[in-house]
Amino acid sequence: MNTFGQLFRVTTFGESHGPAIGCVIDGCPPGIAIAPEEFAHDLSRRATGKTRHTSARHEADEIEILSGVYESVTTGTPIALLIRNTDQRSKDYANIAQQFRPGHADYTYWQKYGIRDPRGGGRSSARETTMRVAAAVIAKKWLAERGVHVRGHLAQIGEVIPAGHDWSVVEDNPFFWPHAAQVPELEAYMDALRKSGDSVGAKVVVEADGVPPGWGEPIYGKLDGELAAAMMSINAVKGVEIGDGFASVAQKGSEHRDAMSPNGFASNHAGGILGGISSGQIVRVAVAFKPTSSLRLPVDSVDVDGNAIEVVTTGRHDPCVGIRATPICEAMLALVLIDQALRHRAQCGDVGPVHPRI
Amino acid sequence: MNTFGQLFRVTTFGESHGPAIGCVIDGCPPGIAIAPEEFAHDLSRRATGKTRHTSARHEADEIEILSGVYESVTTGTPIALLIRNTDQRSKDYANIAQQFRPGHADYTYWQKYGIRDPRGGGRSSARETTMRVAAAVIAKKWLAERGVHVRGHLAQIGEVIPAGHDWSVVEDNPFFWPHAAQVPELEAYMDALRKSGDSVGAKVVVEADGVPPGWGEPIYGKLDGELAAAMMSINAVKGVEIGDGFASVAQKGSEHRDAMSPNGFASNHAGGILGGISSGQIVRVAVAFKPTSSLRLPVDSVDVDGNAIEVVTTGRHDPCVGIRATPICEAMLALVLIDQALRHRAQCGDVGPVHPRI
Amino acid sequence: MNTFGQLFRVTTFGESHGPAIGCVIDGCPPGIAIAPEEFAHDLSRRATGKTRHTSARHEADEIEILSGVYESVTTGTPIALLIRNTDQRSKDYANIAQQFRPGHADYTYWQKYGIRDPRGGGRSSARETTMRVAAAVIAKKWLAERGVHVRGHLAQIGEVIPAGHDWSVVEDNPFFWPHAAQVPELEAYMDALRKSGDSVGAKVVVEADGVPPGWGEPIYGKLDGELAAAMMSINAVKGVEIGDGFASVAQKGSEHRDAMSPNGFASNHAGGILGGISSGQIVRVAVAFKPTSSLRLPVDSVDVDGNAIEVVTTGRHDPCVGIRATPICEAMLALVLIDQALRHRAQCGDVGPVHPRI
Amino acid sequence: MNTFGQLFRVTTFGESHGPAIGCVIDGCPPGIAIAPEEFAHDLSRRATGKTRHTSARHEADEIEILSGVYESVTTGTPIALLIRNTDQRSKDYANIAQQFRPGHADYTYWQKYGIRDPRGGGRSSARETTMRVAAAVIAKKWLAERGVHVRGHLAQIGEVIPAGHDWSVVEDNPFFWPHAAQVPELEAYMDALRKSGDSVGAKVVVEADGVPPGWGEPIYGKLDGELAAAMMSINAVKGVEIGDGFASVAQKGSEHRDAMSPNGFASNHAGGILGGISSGQIVRVAVAFKPTSSLRLPVDSVDVDGNAIEVVTTGRHDPCVGIRATPICEAMLALVLIDQALRHRAQCGDVGPVHPRI
């Protein structure tokens, strides 16, 4: 199950410290103009090694297009993308091979497969998400041609929440933070955290504008159901909300339901989805990231022989994995949307314009 | 996409006020003893019409087994289950056919398909979940034979949260509430709510005990990813959490990670899942239900001709849909688990006992 | 795996002598007008009990539409169809429960599942194909609206091959035979065969006219690949050919390849498919049916205790199962085509008219 | 649809004359020992350029394992295999870009996608089958550990059929021919054919020994159904037979059915499959290959502007594509078997030893 999507299918492969990571995109519509250099922007947004607030690992992340694109246009055949790993310090992980790191997938991979590639977390590393971002570059382009735009920001780090909301500043700070005045505070917060050897969680919000009503397949292929699966499949995610999410629990029905008029919806508590189908409003998803478990601070654990040990993780890790997660969440939102768009066209391509559209 | 699961596949069909609802269970292991009367218990737990706190609709919910079971044992061929609808008052919904109810799927089905069955919400009605509960009866039985048990309780109604936690009382009150002393308070709360014509949200927690380490398929078939999709596919769900969920956002890594020892894990912030694979701990999921939008209180909307109207919903509806959702969430947990168990056996059936198991 | 199709998905259920057979059609486009009486024609074409040349079992085959159709129009939600079994003489099969019939699935079901429903072959009976024909009625209607028409005829019974080819007589004789003058000969042939207690094989040819170029998904979802699977999934089928089929083995390339001109193709050795994609020519498939193994003539076998026995089958069986197979092969052709059409629309709906179309 | 298999899933990518071809194998059981040099044998068997009877194109076909194997053992994570293309003479195909070659996929790809990579047939080239053979090396190894062995031979070239059958000589001649004495005759036949500029069809037979009873999923995942799809997905295949295949049409039931005794089956007309499930006998499949259409002999066609033209193909092509197809058919047989084996284990892993096994 390393394939995501029903019709626009992305199959990823590769280990954190293996020779390469890559993906195959199958079912991509033909005729999309795409050049190798178009991947750089989003890959750079999720890359490590750019600021002191993320892991020091530096990967060139140079994409090679192996198939499916002819003269810079997609042909409808499978698109294979490849990135060679260049900065693997596997010796950083030498003793990890004999130890299970609490909060990591080491123990569960061991139990499931009876074998694991311990180098840098192997397959369970967040390095895999590079290829989701790459695949989504193509998806975003197709969506943009139809007026659908995806974007995201960080909505919480630890206890800190944005004191204001300005989309225009999100891309100008290393935290994807929507309030510029707080950035120095966050810098200081992260510096202190890094020094303490600890890590912290974060919340990401992503949204899609321009989604027409009708995308989403009830009952088990609901748009929100697939978004939940998509986000929860990202490393370190522990929660997903659509629209008001858990706040809905304490709401009254008269408060939650979004009134309608010929001019549109009066509010968007639903997050743009009703009955699993997009309503034409902005689709909004919030995602909770746990703090990374790779810390310099020691913790009790066991080794592969079952002995009690103390684990200290000294590799290069993000003190807040949520920071770089914004483009990853955007990617998953884009991948879900293009897949649902194609599925909707398949089944309902005969349905003409439906009135009234509010 | 009315099929759930990869190997243990449940396909449901039927509209709320059509002649029948039903499901086909494909890929069920042969040799499971199952009799028609074994479905009654869980169906009764999710049924309406039993207390004044749920919808007054009364459905007999008598299951007919049409195939796949011979002499009360599953044969490995598809199991078809059928329930005839008996209490459809479609006239309650006569004017609904021309109106869109805010907060409902009316408008989005209309936009997607260009046609809809308006009777009782048609396919988008929660009546569909009856068949999930029915299918899960078989799943629960197979799981129980392997020591895996699923259970759930309500964890919040509106602003009210449990003041204590006692599993033994959950099945003894109409709210699946884990603290008996609060039940009168909840009765009064719901009575007042019903009189006001409004509704309220709720939170359900379900958990599975006895899940062995190793279930779950990274990367896009992670156990938590599929649980998120499963829960989000239930009507009115707006959020899903695994383990500490959104609370993880404000946690430090040293606090969140669950220390390990030869005697097991020291805590369970992870909710029993690491890297998408079960760890052997209790699998715990929390689910947020929005308040139902079918209210006697009027709300602005539009009709199918695009005119501004005011909608009042007078049919029989639950003032808190989350109350009856506990067995539905249990069902989805069970369906995810049996499917992952079969998938794990397929790929990793060669893997012998893996040491150490803590 | 009782589901056929990727987007237009048909899930069948039911045993030959259980209470009912049925299917769920998921992913059906909305807006197709369909009434219960429209199923009768094709169901009658495949039904037993109409002439002395097929099994004497008489089933009413009355279709009940349980869901997915509102006011005689498909709504896009799953369509459930149900047929109650009425003429089950399970006592005919009493001793079969302890015996394995050579050439039947008795032994293999027993080995696979460790249990089987022996009544009338249970799930392995050709009665299951009734629902394929029913589902295809809807598929044929959608296809016909797009100018695609499916038809078939018998092309061989035993050693007898048609001495001429006239589509207009195919539906006027019980053998779907394309040459009227041979019908008396076939009647006599079948009468003699029935008296002898033996059975014989047959070949069916089906074709689709009006298929536009472009349907079919390379590499593993090729149109011919899926047709092969579809036909081979029919009971008693042992071979499938596209176009010239096995005759291609002895052909030269200069003979086989179909020359092209602005006016079209000069021949159709390919059977309307090139590279797994329809070419715009007639799609033609030939299917080989083995002789049924249920004979009055005794044969060596074993019983469930492993003892050597002699089996005589006395139930009601077709002396040539291929005769009634024509509408079944048509059904599978229609189901493959609608599914591929929807998949093509999903991926390539952006592709405008492609020139030149010859 | 560039993915084959349900649980052992092989996704291939790459064009004939693009930078590389490759595949991702997902769902592979962990713990299989595999080294890069183990791929060489089967890749060499299907390679071009070894004798004068196949295409002169010479590809090194050096496999690079990019992921999923750690210290020469499969880990259960996706295995990516890559082969760089080295001998692309795209100029050979310069004028092909403007022409449609009769009997090729040029026209249908053009109609489907509105764009095509014309270099060497692009995605529709048989070069893609290299990766099927590579993936099947792993499948064959897993199967062999369970006593299942796959092998094949050529059973007809043009009008020539084997005059004898000796498995031991099949690998000793360039035709996979089972009768050594005929090899000189075939050499002369092929030499004459090559000189004439024409091509010819062929028939391949593959079989699997040691398949236990019980593999195969009725109804739409039958073992024979999936074999038919698998074989038909190979380039140039026009027909598939299981067991007696089309010969069954002229057989009597008393002749076709395989009698059973405590000592086993008396014959194998069924080809080892009954009701879509393996019977424990040898599984036998015959496959018809059409003659290649790439000939020096001119043929009428059209160009991309719709003009009538005459096409002459001057690239390097096989005069009989069926010759090298034996290892490809073996590969598809192995891929179907491992996938069905895993699916059987998933559903029926609880079923203990089933008696009697004959």
Side-chain angles (χ1 to χ4, degrees):
Chain A
M1 279 302 287
N2 291 274
T3 299
F4 185 81
Q6 299 291 320
L7 294 185
F8 189 94
R9 286 179 295 279
V10 180
T11 301
T12 65
F13 62 84
E15 275 78 40
S16 176
H17 289 57
I21 57 173
C23 73
V24 183
I25 306 165
D26 198 7
C28 182
I32 307 174
I34 195 81
E37 57 270 21
E38 295 185 63
F39 295 95
H41 177 65
D42 270 0
L43 289 179
S44 166
R45 291 172 72 221
R46 85 155 281 295
T48 50
K50 294 190 306 173
T51 78
R52 66 184 185 277
H53 305 300
T54 60
S55 161
R57 179 176 177 175
H58 183 76
E59 284 288 352
D61 284 353
E62 278 188 30
I63 285 265
E64 185 183 11
I65 301 176
L66 294 176
S67 66
V69 177
Y70 180 62
E71 298 181 343
S72 295
V73 177
T74 63
T75 62
T77 62
I79 301 167
L81 304 177
L82 191 73
I83 294 178
R84 294 277 169 183
N85 291 323
T86 56
D87 186 14
Q88 312 107 291
R89 297 193 197 159
S90 292
K91 66 175 161 45
D92 283 358
Y93 302 96
N95 57 347
I96 290 298
Q98 303 301 317
Q99 303 181 342
F100 299 119
R101 294 168 298 169
H104 269 272
D106 302 339
Y107 176 73
T108 54
Y109 268 66
W110 183 256
Q111 289 296 330
K112 182 176 189 67
Y113 298 116
I115 180 178
R116 71 190 168 103
D117 179 348
R119 300 167 302 169
R123 181 68 182 152
S124 70
S125 163
R127 180 135 183 79
E128 184 269 344
T129 60
T130 310
M131 300 316 302
R132 309 187 190 203
V133 172
V137 167
I138 299 173
K140 283 178 170 181
K141 200 154 183 192
W142 189 88
L143 290 166
E145 288 172 4
R146 280 145 192 85
V148 179
H149 297 278
V150 165
R151 59 184 178 175
H153 65 82
L154 214 60
Q156 188 173 342
I157 295 183
E159 304 279 3
V160 188
I161 59 171
H165 190 82
D166 179 0
W167 275 111
S168 73
V169 305
V170 166
E171 297 291 324
D172 295 338
N173 67 76
F175 306 109
F176 299 96
W177 198 258
H179 191 58
Q182 283 173 296
V183 172
E185 174 193 346
L186 287 172
E187 300 259 5
Y189 180 91
M190 292 303 298
D191 286 342
L193 183 71
R194 202 168 57 252
K195 271 173 201 150
S196 75
D198 215 335
S199 65
V200 75
K203 183 165 85 169
V204 171
V205 169
V206 285
E207 59 178 51
D209 193 14
V211 178
W215 292 3
E217 286 195 336
I219 300 294
Y220 302 110
K222 284 177 175 169
L223 180 53
D224 37 5
E226 298 206 343
L227 286 171
M231 299 304 165
M232 198 66 91
S233 78
I234 302 173
N235 309 50
V237 170
K238 301 303 287 183
V240 182
E241 296 179 315
I242 306 293
D244 283 1
F246 278 88
S248 310
V249 170
Q251 292 172 348
K252 292 292 196 314
S254 54
E255 175 188 1
H256 182 90
R257 63 181 176 179
D258 302 307
M260 302 164 76
S261 80
N263 299 320
F265 291 87
S267 53
N268 189 8
H269 297 284
I273 304 173
L274 289 168
I277 303 171
S278 61
S279 66
Q281 291 198 280
I282 288 176
V283 173
R284 188 170 290 124
V285 188
V287 187
F289 287 83
K290 71 174 185 181
T292 182
S293 305
S294 298
L295 308 178
R296 283 189 282 113
L297 307 175
V299 63
D300 289 340
S301 187
V302 295
D303 66 17
V304 295
D305 299 316
N307 304 309
I309 56 166
E310 193 170 71
V311 167
V312 173
T313 308
T314 53
R316 301 160 299 176
H317 297 285
D318 289 271
C320 176
V321 290
I323 293 179
R324 294 190 294 123
T326 298
I328 304 170
C329 292
E330 288 175 16
M332 296 314 291
L333 175 52
L335 293 178
V336 169
L337 288 174
I338 192 172
D339 192 48
Q340 288 279 8
L342 298 182
R343 286 150 65 180
H344 178 63
R345 181 160 76 181
Q347 186 183 12
C348 299
D350 304 327
V351 178
V354 181
H355 295 289
R357 183 162 293 189
I358 64 174
Chain B
M1 280 301 286
N2 291 275
T3 298
F4 186 82
Q6 300 290 320
L7 295 185
F8 189 94
R9 285 178 297 277
V10 180
T11 302
T12 64
F13 62 84
E15 276 78 41
S16 176
H17 289 57
I21 57 173
C23 73
V24 184
I25 305 165
D26 198 7
C28 183
I32 307 173
I34 195 82
E37 56 271 21
E38 295 184 62
F39 295 95
H41 177 65
D42 270 1
L43 289 180
S44 165
R45 290 172 71 222
R46 85 156 281 295
T48 51
K50 294 190 307 173
T51 79
R52 67 184 184 275
H53 306 298
T54 60
S55 161
R57 179 175 178 176
H58 183 76
E59 283 289 352
D61 285 353
E62 277 188 30
I63 286 265
E64 185 183 11
I65 302 177
L66 294 176
S67 65
V69 177
Y70 180 62
E71 298 181 344
S72 294
V73 177
T74 63
T75 62
T77 61
I79 301 167
L81 304 177
L82 191 73
I83 294 177
R84 294 277 168 183
N85 290 323
T86 55
D87 186 14
Q88 312 108 291
R89 297 190 197 161
S90 293
K91 65 177 160 48
D92 284 357
Y93 301 97
N95 57 347
I96 290 297
Q98 302 302 315
Q99 303 181 341
F100 300 120
R101 294 169 296 169
H104 269 273
D106 302 339
Y107 176 73
T108 55
Y109 269 67
W110 181 256
Q111 289 295 329
K112 182 175 189 68
Y113 298 116
I115 181 179
R116 70 189 168 104
D117 178 348
R119 300 168 299 170
R123 181 68 182 154
S124 70
S125 163
R127 178 133 183 81
E128 184 269 344
T129 61
T130 311
M131 300 317 302
R132 309 187 189 202
V133 172
V137 167
I138 299 174
K140 283 178 170 182
K141 199 152 184 195
W142 188 88
L143 290 166
E145 287 172 5
R146 280 143 192 86
V148 179
H149 298 278
V150 166
R151 60 184 178 175
H153 65 83
L154 213 59
Q156 189 173 341
I157 296 184
E159 303 279 4
V160 188
I161 59 171
H165 190 82
D166 179 1
W167 275 111
S168 72
V169 306
V170 166
E171 297 291 325
D172 296 337
N173 67 76
F175 305 108
F176 299 96
W177 198 258
H179 190 60
Q182 283 173 294
V183 171
E185 174 192 347
L186 288 172
E187 301 259 3
Y189 179 91
M190 293 301 299
D191 286 343
L193 183 71
R194 202 170 54 253
K195 270 172 202 151
S196 75
D198 215 335
S199 65
V200 76
K203 183 163 86 169
V204 171
V205 169
V206 285
E207 61 177 51
D209 193 15
V211 177
W215 291 4
E217 287 194 336
I219 299 294
Y220 303 110
K222 284 177 175 169
L223 181 54
D224 37 5
E226 299 206 342
L227 286 171
M231 299 304 166
M232 198 66 92
S233 79
I234 302 172
N235 309 50
V237 171
K238 301 304 287 184
V240 181
E241 296 180 314
I242 306 293
D244 283 2
F246 278 88
S248 310
V249 170
Q251 291 172 348
K252 292 292 194 314
S254 54
E255 175 188 0
H256 182 90
R257 63 181 176 179
D258 302 309
M260 301 163 76
S261 80
N263 299 320
F265 291 88
S267 53
N268 189 8
H269 296 285
I273 303 174
L274 289 168
I277 304 171
S278 61
S279 66
Q281 290 197 280
I282 288 177
V283 174
R284 188 171 290 124
V285 189
V287 188
F289 287 82
K290 71 174 186 181
T292 181
S293 305
S294 299
L295 309 177
R296 282 188 283 113
L297 307 175
V299 63
D300 288 341
S301 188
V302 294
D303 66 16
V304 295
D305 299 316
N307 303 308
I309 56 165
E310 193 170 71
V311 168
V312 173
T313 307
T314 53
R316 301 162 296 176
H317 298 285
D318 289 270
C320 176
V321 290
I323 293 178
R324 294 190 294 122
T326 298
I328 304 170
C329 292
E330 287 174 15
M332 295 314 291
L333 176 52
L335 292 178
V336 168
L337 287 174
I338 191 173
D339 192 47
Q340 288 279 7
L342 298 182
R343 285 150 67 180
H344 178 64
R345 181 160 76 179
Q347 186 182 13
C348 299
D350 304 325
V351 178
V354 181
H355 296 288
R357 181 162 293 190
I358 64 176
Chain C
M1 280 303 288
N2 290 275
T3 298
F4 185 82
Q6 300 290 320
L7 294 185
F8 190 93
R9 285 180 296 278
V10 180
T11 302
T12 65
F13 62 84
E15 275 79 41
S16 176
H17 288 57
I21 57 172
C23 73
V24 184
I25 305 165
D26 197 8
C28 182
I32 307 174
I34 195 82
E37 57 271 22
E38 294 184 63
F39 296 95
H41 177 66
D42 270 1
L43 289 179
S44 165
R45 291 172 71 222
R46 87 158 277 297
T48 51
K50 293 191 306 173
T51 79
R52 67 184 183 275
H53 305 299
T54 59
S55 161
R57 178 174 178 177
H58 183 76
E59 285 288 351
D61 285 352
E62 277 188 30
I63 286 265
E64 184 183 11
I65 302 176
L66 294 177
S67 66
V69 177
Y70 180 62
E71 297 180 345
S72 294
V73 178
T74 63
T75 62
T77 61
I79 301 167
L81 304 177
L82 191 73
I83 295 177
R84 294 278 168 182
N85 290 324
T86 56
D87 186 16
Q88 312 108 291
R89 297 195 197 155
S90 291
K91 64 176 163 45
D92 283 358
Y93 300 98
N95 58 346
I96 290 298
Q98 303 301 317
Q99 303 181 341
F100 300 119
R101 293 169 297 170
H104 269 274
D106 302 339
Y107 176 72
T108 54
Y109 269 67
W110 182 255
Q111 290 295 330
K112 182 176 189 67
Y113 298 117
I115 181 178
R116 70 188 170 105
D117 178 347
R119 300 167 300 171
R123 181 66 182 154
S124 71
S125 163
R127 180 134 183 79
E128 183 270 344
T129 60
T130 310
M131 299 318 301
R132 309 186 190 204
V133 172
V137 167
I138 299 174
K140 282 178 170 182
K141 199 153 185 194
W142 188 88
L143 290 166
E145 289 172 4
R146 281 147 192 83
V148 179
H149 298 276
V150 166
R151 59 183 179 178
H153 64 83
L154 213 58
Q156 190 172 340
I157 295 183
E159 304 279 3
V160 187
I161 59 172
H165 190 82
D166 180 0
W167 276 111
S168 73
V169 304
V170 168
E171 298 291 326
D172 295 337
N173 68 77
F175 306 108
F176 300 96
W177 198 259
H179 191 59
Q182 283 174 294
V183 171
E185 173 192 347
L186 287 172
E187 301 259 4
Y189 180 91
M190 292 302 299
D191 286 342
L193 183 70
R194 202 169 55 251
K195 270 172 203 152
S196 76
D198 215 334
S199 64
V200 76
K203 183 164 85 169
V204 171
V205 168
V206 285
E207 60 177 50
D209 193 15
V211 178
W215 292 3
E217 287 196 334
I219 302 295
Y220 302 111
K222 284 178 175 168
L223 180 53
D224 36 4
E226 299 205 343
L227 286 170
M231 299 305 165
M232 198 67 90
S233 78
I234 302 171
N235 310 50
V237 171
K238 301 304 287 184
V240 182
E241 297 180 314
I242 306 293
D244 283 1
F246 278 88
S248 310
V249 170
Q251 293 172 348
K252 291 292 193 321
S254 54
E255 176 188 1
H256 182 90
R257 63 182 176 178
D258 302 308
M260 302 163 76
S261 81
N263 300 320
F265 291 87
S267 53
N268 189 8
H269 297 283
I273 303 174
L274 288 168
I277 304 170
S278 61
S279 66
Q281 291 197 280
I282 288 176
V283 174
R284 188 170 291 122
V285 189
V287 188
F289 287 83
K290 72 173 186 182
T292 182
S293 306
S294 300
L295 308 177
R296 281 188 283 115
L297 306 176
V299 62
D300 288 340
S301 189
V302 294
D303 66 15
V304 294
D305 298 316
N307 303 310
I309 57 166
E310 192 170 73
V311 167
V312 173
T313 307
T314 52
R316 302 161 296 176
H317 298 284
D318 289 271
C320 176
V321 290
I323 293 178
R324 294 190 295 122
T326 298
I328 304 170
C329 293
E330 288 174 15
M332 296 315 290
L333 176 52
L335 292 178
V336 168
L337 288 174
I338 192 172
D339 192 48
Q340 289 279 9
L342 298 182
R343 286 150 66 181
H344 178 64
R345 181 161 75 180
Q347 186 182 13
C348 300
D350 304 327
V351 178
V354 181
H355 296 289
R357 182 162 293 188
I358 65 174
Chain D
M1 281 303 287
N2 290 274
T3 298
F4 185 81
Q6 299 291 321
L7 294 185
F8 190 93
R9 285 179 296 277
V10 180
T11 302
T12 65
F13 62 85
E15 274 79 40
S16 176
H17 289 56
I21 57 172
C23 73
V24 183
I25 306 164
D26 197 8
C28 182
I32 306 174
I34 195 82
E37 57 271 21
E38 295 184 62
F39 295 95
H41 177 66
D42 270 1
L43 290 180
S44 166
R45 292 172 70 222
R46 86 157 279 296
T48 50
K50 293 191 307 175
T51 79
R52 67 184 184 278
H53 306 299
T54 59
S55 161
R57 178 175 178 175
H58 183 75
E59 284 289 352
D61 284 353
E62 278 187 31
I63 285 265
E64 184 183 10
I65 302 177
L66 294 176
S67 66
V69 176
Y70 180 62
E71 298 181 342
S72 294
V73 177
T74 63
T75 62
T77 61
I79 301 168
L81 304 177
L82 191 74
I83 294 177
R84 295 277 169 181
N85 291 323
T86 56
D87 186 14
Q88 313 108 291
R89 298 192 196 158
S90 292
K91 65 175 161 46
D92 282 358
Y93 300 98
N95 57 348
I96 290 299
Q98 303 301 316
Q99 303 181 341
F100 299 119
R101 293 169 298 171
H104 270 273
D106 303 340
Y107 176 73
T108 54
Y109 269 67
W110 183 255
Q111 290 295 331
K112 181 176 189 68
Y113 299 117
I115 181 177
R116 70 187 169 106
D117 177 348
R119 300 168 300 172
R123 181 67 182 154
S124 71
S125 163
R127 179 134 182 80
E128 184 270 343
T129 60
T130 311
M131 299 317 302
R132 308 187 190 202
V133 172
V137 167
I138 299 174
K140 283 179 170 181
K141 199 152 184 193
W142 187 88
L143 290 166
E145 289 171 5
R146 280 145 193 84
V148 179
H149 298 277
V150 165
R151 59 184 178 176
H153 65 83
L154 214 58
Q156 190 173 341
I157 296 184
E159 304 279 5
V160 188
I161 59 171
H165 190 82
D166 179 0
W167 276 111
S168 72
V169 305
V170 167
E171 298 291 324
D172 295 336
N173 69 76
F175 307 108
F176 299 97
W177 197 259
H179 191 60
Q182 282 174 295
V183 172
E185 173 192 347
L186 287 172
E187 301 258 4
Y189 180 91
M190 292 303 297
D191 286 342
L193 183 71
R194 201 168 58 250
K195 271 172 203 151
S196 75
D198 216 333
S199 65
V200 76
K203 182 164 86 169
V204 171
V205 169
V206 285
E207 60 176 52
D209 193 14
V211 178
W215 292 3
E217 286 195 337
I219 301 293
Y220 302 110
K222 284 177 175 169
L223 181 54
D224 37 5
E226 299 205 342
L227 286 170
M231 299 305 165
M232 198 66 92
S233 78
I234 302 172
N235 310 50
V237 170
K238 301 304 288 182
V240 182
E241 296 179 315
I242 306 292
D244 283 2
F246 278 88
S248 310
V249 169
Q251 293 172 348
K252 291 292 194 317
S254 54
E255 175 187 1
H256 182 89
R257 62 181 177 179
D258 304 307
M260 302 162 77
S261 81
N263 300 321
F265 291 87
S267 53
N268 189 9
H269 296 284
I273 303 174
L274 289 168
I277 303 171
S278 61
S279 66
Q281 290 197 281
I282 289 176
V283 174
R284 188 171 290 124
V285 189
V287 188
F289 287 83
K290 72 175 185 181
T292 182
S293 306
S294 299
L295 308 177
R296 281 187 286 114
L297 307 176
V299 63
D300 289 340
S301 189
V302 294
D303 65 16
V304 295
D305 299 316
N307 303 309
I309 57 166
E310 192 171 72
V311 168
V312 172
T313 307
T314 53
R316 300 161 297 178
H317 297 284
D318 290 271
C320 177
V321 290
I323 292 178
R324 295 191 293 124
T326 298
I328 304 170
C329 292
E330 288 175 14
M332 296 315 292
L333 176 52
L335 292 178
V336 168
L337 288 174
I338 190 172
D339 192 47
Q340 288 279 9
L342 297 182
R343 286 151 66 181
H344 177 64
R345 180 160 76 180
Q347 185 182 13
C348 299
D350 305 326
V351 178
V354 181
H355 296 289
R357 182 163 293 190
I358 64 174

